[in-house]
Amino acid sequence: MSDSTEAIHSRLAELTAPTAHSRVVDLGCGSGPTLLALSRMAPEAVLIGIDRSVTFLRQARQELQKHCGPVMTLAADLRTPLPCGDESADIVVSYNTIECLPRPERMLVEVARILRPGGRAIIAHVDFDSLVIAGADADLDRRLCHTFADDAQSWMDHADGRIGRKLGLLLARSPLRLVSVEPLLTWSTELSGHAEDRIGQIRKALLSAARHGRGSVSAAEVEEWYAAVREADRLGGFFFSELAFIAVAERPREERLTGDVAPPVRGGVLPRRDGGWAGHRPAAA
């Protein structure tokens, strides 16, 4: 999960640059922090959130109650064809989602399919192998952070803690045209806010992994690491940073798409002649 106050959501909205007439699809939208940032920038844009968690979609709709334009949420598995018509989106955005897919290149083929020619895709992900956390000794810290980066948690179909640094290459090999890749560093000298949330996630995930015999650290080592991090914060020597990469790509305006492009989707969300949206009713959430 990501905090709606994270700077990355504002940066994703800036790179997306939506207008009042934009149709934006957020893949793996979660509870809607990126959609909310987009709403602030373009209050009348059409916003479509897709996630397989009905609970998250319900939260996203709640967050977007004040959005002036149309809002749609769809429950879908991103391992399968997207529930969107061909060339039906102006912009596709996705944050901290693509690492969970066993075949991420298939999602990018789908992104190319649903984008209009000249449409833009912004794919971003934290590179979890870049975590820097002060406190524990080097050996324990390295083993623990690497175990977290590589761990496929129970809700994940796949894990790749180094996916952030791979985004540019993934997009360069896709039917899309890579435009740019930029880093975004999140850091803190206090165990609070996002840093506290992320360290709590690491602790929870690795305690679960230890219980299920995954990874290379024991529950006792996880708690030793966590105690050292808290002690560093008590002494005023705490530091946390994580690096995210943001890749921007476009669907070529004239070139034919290459790759295993899926057949047209007959159901799902389709563009109407008036520029609105029509399609099957979104899954109840």
Side-chain angles (χ1 to χ4, degrees):
M1 292 178 60
S2 54
D3 190 326
S4 62
T5 61
E6 285 183 54
I8 193 165
H9 299 292
S10 296
R11 182 56 182 154
L12 292 175
E14 290 172 0
L15 290 169
T16 300
T19 68
H21 304 291
S22 295
R23 292 171 288 183
V24 187
V25 177
D26 185 351
L27 301 179
C29 66
S31 59
T34 302
L35 290 171
L36 188 59
L38 289 164
S39 176
R40 295 190 187 104
M41 182 168 287
E44 297 179 354
V46 179
L47 301 180
I48 301 95
I50 299 179
D51 201 285
R52 70 179 183 182
S53 168
V54 173
T55 300
F56 278 157
L57 292 175
R58 185 182 301 118
Q59 294 173 6
R61 286 203 302 274
Q62 183 71 24
E63 289 288 338
L64 293 165
Q65 278 187 334
K66 295 182 180 180
H67 183 68
C68 299
V71 174
M72 183 175 291
T73 56
L74 299 167
D77 188 335
L78 297 181
R79 294 172 299 178
T80 63
L82 297 175
C84 305
D86 295 355
E87 302 182 7
S88 58
D90 299 303
I91 302 162
V92 173
V93 63
S94 184
Y95 173 56
N96 273 6
T97 295
I98 198 168
E99 78 150 322
C100 300
L101 304 176
R103 297 289 302 276
E105 66 276 6
R106 290 182 177 177
M107 188 188 88
L108 296 179
V109 169
E110 278 293 288
V111 170
R113 177 183 66 79
I114 71 170
L115 277 175
R116 62 167 174 76
R120 174 165 285 206
I122 296 90
I123 312 295
H125 214 291
V126 171
D127 191 297
F128 289 108
D129 215 28
S130 73
L131 285 167
V132 174
I133 303 170
D137 68 81
D139 177 68
L140 177 58
D141 186 64
R142 285 175 183 143
R143 287 194 295 114
L144 193 138
C145 287
H146 289 164
T147 298
F148 174 72
D150 296 337
D151 182 47
Q153 299 172 51
S154 59
W155 54 271
M156 300 169 70
D157 299 311
H158 182 263
D160 182 351
R162 294 162 60 89
I163 193 71
R165 70 193 70 182
K166 299 177 182 179
L167 290 179
L169 187 57
L170 277 169
L171 285 161
R173 290 173 171 169
S174 79
L176 299 164
R177 182 178 68 84
L178 180 64
V179 175
S180 65
V181 179
E182 67 176 57
L184 190 148
L185 184 68
T186 299
W187 61 276
S188 177
T189 56
E190 296 181 355
L191 184 57
S192 61
H194 177 70
E196 185 176 25
D197 290 344
R198 181 69 78 205
I199 287 171
Q201 291 166 11
I202 293 171
R203 181 189 182 206
K204 180 179 179 181
L206 293 186
L207 287 175
S208 176
R211 285 196 301 270
H212 292 89
R214 301 193 312 268
S216 60
V217 292
S218 66
E221 288 176 314
V222 174
E223 296 293 33
E224 178 186 346
W225 172 86
Y226 183 62
V229 170
R230 294 187 64 186
E231 177 66 4
D233 183 57
R234 187 186 71 81
L235 295 172
F238 173 79
F239 183 81
F240 165 90
S241 72
E242 66 180 26
L243 187 63
F245 291 90
I246 306 172
V248 179
E250 293 180 347
R251 173 170 170 175
R253 292 181 181 275
E254 298 179 359
E255 299 175 22
R256 293 177 60 87
L257 292 179
T258 59
D260 299 325
V261 180
V265 175
R266 300 185 184 283
V269 183
L270 300 171
R272 296 197 304 259
R273 289 183 182 275
D274 63 359
W277 289 77
H280 296 318
R281 182 177 178 179

